[in-house]
């Protein structure tokens, strides 16, 4: 077994920096008396250091961006990293708050060797602008201890790995402070010297737990791991250090998560047609934004465009602190392959979906309608406007339709002046006595003085109305 | 350079007084012989705007575009009705042979949305025909729409009030519609690309109300019709 450990020295900072358009000095602080816990390189250049008091840091860099270190948040961010890492490795263990462990031995054949796997991961990390210290080890704990020492090198030979862990200073072994102090008093400085001690003595003099820990580092005692399972949905969050007051400010931070979504959909070989955006505000409830595309979609650009149109239509109700994107609905991809020889149809279908999605995002779902005839004698009920989704072709019962005008008025208008010519005999429509919306009318076609051909009716009370135009 | 000039002349972008019959802009036949003749057989321009200017609805204006609509819907391309003044009545459309699954009615809320929708529809590859009732339009809006129609290579017919007849417009074809005797429709050509305007003809559209159409179309020739009508 070979394990690979990724230690993120300033994960929260990296996560926050993704939302920044231009680099800015930033720190993560923690503790009741705020101390600097994580520093970005830019702040470091200006003299801010880990462990510094926040006041001192602010004096050095007045426009320093500050974010509180939050364990729960860090763990959520860590799980976010596991989500993309799962595309590269099947067996991942979360080591909160800032580590990920993956089983590398079984990936040798897939990647053609551990160095290639190492390279792939380095590249994936660089793409996401993440800093991670990686190390290999024969046991999970050994990999972890070495990784936390700093950026390491790829190593896979057993003897060398053993030598490397043995050379670690005791202070880096994550022992309890008391135990460590006692060992130091004994004159031990390196982990290797601890390994030399007889096991029974170690257990007697220190504690059985310490022995178990040491044996786990060496691999002499089983150390079972609980592997992480990816969730069935996609969820990513961006935290903004500076609150966005305008919708424009959200588009840039959205970019990486949409790219992540595209990669995720690509990896799943699925599409989606609904996105859910949650915008968190400081003092009020988060606003929810649901977006639907007209058809299955996976491209980040298309999603970004729809979100942009939507945000333009709905200005932000309050400044936004964080935004999260959730996708729960996944659709299997249609097998590619045109329905015709020239391959024209898929393109057109895509163009159709793009157009309709854009229109619906800006105008709302109700603004687009497709017409359908209905089996009813009452003119106002003999048609219906159906929403565009789902795209089903209504059965067209063609020429059995009665003679009707091309324009129907939404509500009948009273006839203002007598027509100049009557062009048809009356058509009596008496229907709907069963549902309380009875219609009892005699319909005529007549020409008005303005030259318009009108569809008129006279109701039971003798009133005359225009109900349509022969356009 | 000369190639560019040839293209311009061929597409009827440059107006030439003496050789107008040779130019041939891409177009869709209107389905009315009389009108096609007046339009020099080019019909509804493709990749350009057409305007129909009239005072009232219900004088047969939809009959004018119905043959084209039928053809476009049959070819499985979408017909968009943007901001129609009344309800396009499904049973009547069906009776006239329009495939309803290709008809989409859009009612944008505001003028800005209407223009945006029009532009998007015009630029899309799925669009076969756009019928729009845009209301007030500034000349530069029409110019934008004209460019969108050019980019999408689509046909677009704008229905506007006759008040705008004297307004300057970049549309490629401008028709004035008036009611004519016997429920007919008189079409006056106010402007067309690559030819003289001023023609006028009368179309028999009384059949829209199930009335018998009388003897064949009566053509009233314009002042210059003699120079090109026969060619």
């Amino acid at each position: 077994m070979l394990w690979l450990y990724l230690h993120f020295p300033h994960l929260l900072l990296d996560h926050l920096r993704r939302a920044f358009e231009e680099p800015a000095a930033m720190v993560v602080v923690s503790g009741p008396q705020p101390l600097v816990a994580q520093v970005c390189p830019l702040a470091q250049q200006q003299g801010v250091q880990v462990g510094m008091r926040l006041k001192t840091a602010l004096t050095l860099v007045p426009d320093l961006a500050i974010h509180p270190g939050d364990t729960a948040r860090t763990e959520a961010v860590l799980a976010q990293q596991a989500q993309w890492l799962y595309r590269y490795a099947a067996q991942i263990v979360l080591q909160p708050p800032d580590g990920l462990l993956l089983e590398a031995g079984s990936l040798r054949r897939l990647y053609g060797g551990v160095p290639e796997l190492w390279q792939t991961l380095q590249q994936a990390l660089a793409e996401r602008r993440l800093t991670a210290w990686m190390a290999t080890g024969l046991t999970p704990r050994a990999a972890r201890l070495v990784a936390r020492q700093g950026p390491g090198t790829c190593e896979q030979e057993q003897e060398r790995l053993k030598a490397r862990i043995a050379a670690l200073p005791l202070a880096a072994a994550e022992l309890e402070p008391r135990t460590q102090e006692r060992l130091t008093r004994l004159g031990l400085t390196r982990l290797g010297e601890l390994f030399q001690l007889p096991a029974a003595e170690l257990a007697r003099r220190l504690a059985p737990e310490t022995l178990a820990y040491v044996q786990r580092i060496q691999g002499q005692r089983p150390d079972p791991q609980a592997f992480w399972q990816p969730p069935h949905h996609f969820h990513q969050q961006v935290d903004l250090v500076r609150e966005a007051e305008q919708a424009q400010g959200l588009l840039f931070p959205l970019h990486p998560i949409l790219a992540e979504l595209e990669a995720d959909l690509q990896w799943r070989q699925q599409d989606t047609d609904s996105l859910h955006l949650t915008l968190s505000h400081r003092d009020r409830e988060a606003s929810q934004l649901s977006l639907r595309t007209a058809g299955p979609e996976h491209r980040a650009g298309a999603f970004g465009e729809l979100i942009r149109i939507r945000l333009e239509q709905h200005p932000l109700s309050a400044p936004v602190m964080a935004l999260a994107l959730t996708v729960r609905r996944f659709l299997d991809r249609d097998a590619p392959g045109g329905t015709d020889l020239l391959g024209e149809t898929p393109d057109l279908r895509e163009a159709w979906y793009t157009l309709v999605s854009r229109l619906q995002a800006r105008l709302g779902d109700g603004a687009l309608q497709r017409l359908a005839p209905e089996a009813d004698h009452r003119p106002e009920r003999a048609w219906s406007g159906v929403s565009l989704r789902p795209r089903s072709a209504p059965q067209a019962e063609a020429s059995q339709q009665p003679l009707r005008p091309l324009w129907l008025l939404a509500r009948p208008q009273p006839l203002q002046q007598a027509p100049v010519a009557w062009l048809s005999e009356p058509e009596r429509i008496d229907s709907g006595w069963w549902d309380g919306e009875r219609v009892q009318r005699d319909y005529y076609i007549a020409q008005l003085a303005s030259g318009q051909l009108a569809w008129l009716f006279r109701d039971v009370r003798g009133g005359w109305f225009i109900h349509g135009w022969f356009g | 350079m000369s190639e560019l000039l040839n293209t311009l002349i061929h597409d009827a972008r440059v107006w030439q007084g003496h050789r107008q019959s040779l130019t041939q802009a891409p177009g869709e036949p209107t389905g009315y012989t009389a009108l096609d003749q007046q339009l020099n057989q080019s019909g509804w321009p493709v990749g350009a705007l057409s305007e129909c200017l009239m005072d009232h609805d219900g004088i047969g204006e939809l009959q004018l575009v119905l043959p084209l609509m039928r053809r476009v819907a049959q070819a499985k391309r979408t017909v968009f009705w943007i901001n129609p003044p009344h309800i396009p009545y499904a049973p009547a459309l069906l009776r006239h042979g329009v495939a309803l699954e290709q008809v989409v009615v859009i009612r944008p809320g505001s003028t800005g949305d209407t223009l945006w929708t029009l532009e998007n529809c015009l630029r899309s590859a799925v669009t076969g025909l756009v019928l729009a009732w845009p209301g007030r339009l500034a000349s530069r809006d029409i110019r934008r729409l004209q460019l969108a129609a050019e980019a999408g290579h689509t046909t677009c017919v704008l229905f506007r009030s006759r008040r705008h007849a004297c307004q300057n417009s970049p549309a490629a074809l401008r028709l004035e519609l008036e009611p004519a005797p016997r429920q007919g429709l008189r079409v006056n050509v106010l402007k067309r690309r690559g030819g003289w305007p001023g023609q006028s003809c009368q179309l028999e559209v009384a059949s829209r109300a199930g009335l018998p159409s009388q003897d064949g179309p009566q053509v009233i020739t314009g002042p210059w019709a003699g120079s090109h009508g026969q060619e």
Side-chain angles (χ1 to χ4, degrees):
Chain A
M1 287 276 244
L2 188 70
W3 298 85
L4 203 152
Y5 191 91
L6 283 90
H7 172 67
F8 299 95
H10 37 74
L11 180 60
L12 201 54
L13 206 62
D14 285 342
H15 170 71
L16 292 167
R17 271 166 65 195
R18 286 178 88 182
F20 263 79
E21 232 161 316
E22 61 253 17
M26 193 179 353
V27 289
V28 171
V29 294
S30 61
Q33 280 220 328
L35 294 178
V36 173
Q38 299 176 10
V39 193
C40 84
L42 207 72
Q44 217 158 19
Q45 275 172 24
Q46 299 180 54
V48 182
Q49 281 167 4
V50 173
M52 202 177 246
R53 303 246 320 253
L54 180 59
K55 263 187 199 160
T56 323
L58 273 176
T59 324
L60 283 169
V61 189
D63 61 345
L64 192 66
I66 304 155
H67 200 271
D70 178 353
T71 347
R73 193 67 231 123
T74 318
E75 278 172 31
V77 174
L78 189 67
Q80 238 166 286
Q81 310 314 318
Q83 220 165 60
W84 67 258
L85 197 63
Y86 192 73
R87 284 176 224 145
Y88 299 98
Q91 292 181 314
I92 300 175
V93 186
L94 298 190
Q95 302 247 324
D98 51 10
L100 287 174
L101 178 72
L102 52 102
E103 200 279 305
S106 56
L107 300 174
R108 271 202 192 110
R109 278 187 69 184
L110 177 62
Y111 287 91
V114 178
E116 284 77 9
L117 169 66
W118 185 281
Q119 198 96 44
T120 313
L121 290 179
Q122 287 284 16
Q123 204 176 340
L125 287 165
E127 271 169 27
R128 291 169 176 81
R129 296 203 281 157
L130 289 168
T131 314
W133 298 344
M134 302 204 293
T136 43
L138 293 172
T139 63
R141 269 160 221 267
R144 175 184 163 96
L145 293 183
V146 176
R148 293 178 72 94
Q149 290 310 298
T153 50
C154 179
E155 191 63 70
Q156 51 175 333
E157 268 178 59
Q158 289 225 356
E159 291 312 312
R160 288 231 189 74
L161 283 170
K162 276 186 183 160
R164 195 159 72 174
I165 186 83
L168 275 188
L170 263 187
E174 298 186 336
L175 292 161
E176 278 172 40
R178 263 194 64 209
T179 318
Q180 196 192 319
E181 200 189 318
R182 289 184 70 179
L183 289 170
T184 319
R185 279 202 199 134
L186 282 174
L188 303 176
T189 54
R190 307 227 160 244
L191 210 53
E193 291 160 7
L194 185 60
F195 294 161
Q196 307 275 318
L197 298 181
E201 284 298 300
L202 203 61
R204 200 172 60 79
R205 290 205 176 199
L206 296 166
E209 290 81 28
T210 312
L211 175 67
Y213 179 73
V214 171
Q215 283 182 334
R216 284 202 182 112
I217 296 177
Q218 287 175 285
Q220 290 164 353
R221 196 181 269 246
D223 189 6
Q225 301 289 333
F227 292 111
W228 178 79
Q229 279 297 316
H232 288 290
H233 60 267
F234 175 88
H235 179 89
Q236 293 254 321
Q237 180 164 343
V238 188
D239 296 274
L240 306 175
V241 179
R242 301 204 171 117
E243 295 178 15
E245 287 174 15
Q246 286 179 350
Q248 279 297 326
L250 298 180
L251 297 177
F252 184 83
L254 260 172
H255 250 281
I257 44 178
L258 286 176
E260 202 67 67
L261 174 64
E262 178 176 336
D264 190 72
L265 289 170
Q266 193 69 26
W267 174 74
R268 288 173 197 257
Q269 280 297 297
Q270 282 181 319
D271 282 344
T272 184
D273 64 354
S274 51
L275 308 182
H276 198 82
L277 265 183
T278 311
L279 309 177
S280 319
H281 308 296
R282 185 175 293 282
D283 296 323
R284 47 200 294 182
E285 239 174 78
S287 29
Q288 312 284 343
L289 215 65
S290 280
L291 279 123
R292 294 198 63 137
T293 61
E297 183 58 77
H298 67 273
R299 289 165 305 171
F303 292 134
E305 182 69 10
L306 287 184
I307 293 174
R308 188 181 63 76
I309 294 173
R310 186 61 176 270
L311 287 176
E312 270 173 15
Q313 290 308 101
H314 302 269
L316 301 179
S317 54
V320 175
M321 287 174 63
L323 58 108
L325 178 74
T326 315
V327 174
R328 290 183 185 278
R329 201 173 127 90
F330 295 99
L331 308 163
D332 287 335
R333 282 194 190 170
D334 286 340
T339 27
D340 69 355
L341 194 63
L342 299 170
E344 223 168 48
T345 319
D347 264 7
L348 271 186
R349 196 190 317 159
E350 203 171 294
W352 164 261
Y353 286 142
T354 316
L355 176 65
V356 171
S357 305
R358 279 178 66 92
L359 296 177
Q360 281 177 336
R362 169 135 174 187
L363 308 173
D365 284 358
L368 275 77
Q369 282 188 337
R370 181 172 279 144
L371 304 169
E374 295 290 328
D376 199 310
H377 287 294
R378 286 166 288 182
E380 47 271 79
R381 295 205 175 204
W383 75 284
S384 63
V386 283
S387 161
L388 278 192
R389 189 181 309 111
R391 199 184 187 198
S392 61
Q395 305 87 4
E397 323 99 52
S399 57
Q400 292 309 308
Q401 300 290 334
L403 176 65
R404 291 287 179 260
L406 278 166
W407 287 130
L408 186 77
L409 303 192
R411 54 187 62 232
Q413 285 171 5
L415 181 66
Q416 300 291 351
Q417 59 184 140
V420 291
W422 296 90
L423 302 170
S424 75
E425 293 159 352
E427 175 189 355
R428 174 155 296 179
I429 295 176
D430 186 347
S431 178
W433 63 85
W434 54 85
D435 60 8
E437 291 187 33
R438 187 168 185 183
V439 160
Q440 275 181 292
R441 298 166 183 166
D442 285 342
Y443 278 91
Y444 296 84
I445 299 168
Q447 186 162 23
L448 303 188
S450 57
Q452 297 164 284
L453 271 195
W455 200 42
L456 306 172
F457 70 80
R458 189 170 71 152
D459 63 7
V460 264
R461 282 183 229 119
W464 285 92
F465 295 90
I466 304 172
H467 205 187
W469 299 116
F470 287 90
Chain B
M1 188 62 193
S2 71
E3 199 177 308
L4 189 64
L5 269 180
N6 280 340
T7 330
L8 281 175
I9 291 167
H10 186 77
D11 289 355
R13 306 277 184 97
V14 175
W15 183 81
Q16 286 181 297
H18 64 292
R19 295 172 52 190
Q20 39 173 309
S21 59
L22 295 178
T23 56
Q24 197 59 256
E28 291 273 357
T30 59
Y32 293 94
T33 335
L35 184 59
D36 275 341
Q37 230 164 38
Q38 299 305 318
L39 296 178
N40 204 8
Q41 306 302 339
S42 54
W44 298 110
V46 172
L49 294 185
S50 311
E51 274 184 77
C52 288
L53 305 155
M54 64 210 180
D55 284 330
H56 304 287
D57 306 314
I59 56 172
E61 73 279 7
L62 291 181
Q63 292 295 320
L64 195 61
V65 289
L66 207 55
L68 176 62
M69 204 191 312
R70 220 171 356 223
R71 212 147 10 101
V72 165
Q74 237 160 35
K76 299 269 173 235
R77 298 179 69 193
T78 310
V79 179
F80 288 100
W81 296 54
I82 298 170
N83 211 8
H86 314 290
I87 300 163
Y89 200 37
L93 284 170
L94 209 54
R95 187 187 159 92
H96 281 108
V98 178
L100 285 183
E101 64 268 18
Q102 298 298 336
V103 175
V104 176
V105 179
I106 309 178
R107 294 185 189 277
S110 64
T111 321
D113 280 352
T114 307
L115 283 171
W116 182 86
T117 309
L118 254 168
E119 225 181 303
N120 274 284
C121 288
L122 285 175
R123 282 181 192 277
S124 175
V126 294
T127 311
L129 172 64
V130 178
L131 304 177
W133 287 260
R136 279 184 87 85
L137 279 182
S139 189
R140 67 162 184 284
D141 296 335
I142 306 185
R143 177 88 200 127
R144 273 191 78 109
L145 296 178
Q146 168 73 33
L147 289 177
E150 243 167 74
H153 207 67
T154 40
T155 309
C156 173
V157 183
L158 301 177
F159 292 92
R160 306 178 68 201
S161 160
R162 224 164 81 174
R163 280 181 292 129
H164 304 297
C166 47
Q167 188 192 349
N168 161 25
S169 161
L173 177 68
R174 302 188 84 202
L175 304 175
E176 187 184 32
L177 310 183
E178 292 176 300
R182 295 198 307 276
Q183 296 83 46
L185 180 69
R186 178 195 293 281
V187 181
N188 302 324
V189 182
L190 297 185
K191 173 188 174 185
R192 69 186 178 94
R193 222 176 236 181
W196 294 99
Q199 300 88 346
S200 160
C201 69
Q202 194 172 324
L203 307 179
E204 290 300 329
V205 289
S207 61
R208 69 189 194 271
L211 306 171
S213 59
Q214 278 103 356
D215 44 2
Q218 193 184 10
V219 180
I220 300 162
T221 50
W224 299 281
S227 59
H228 67 277
Q230 283 79 31
E231 284 174 30

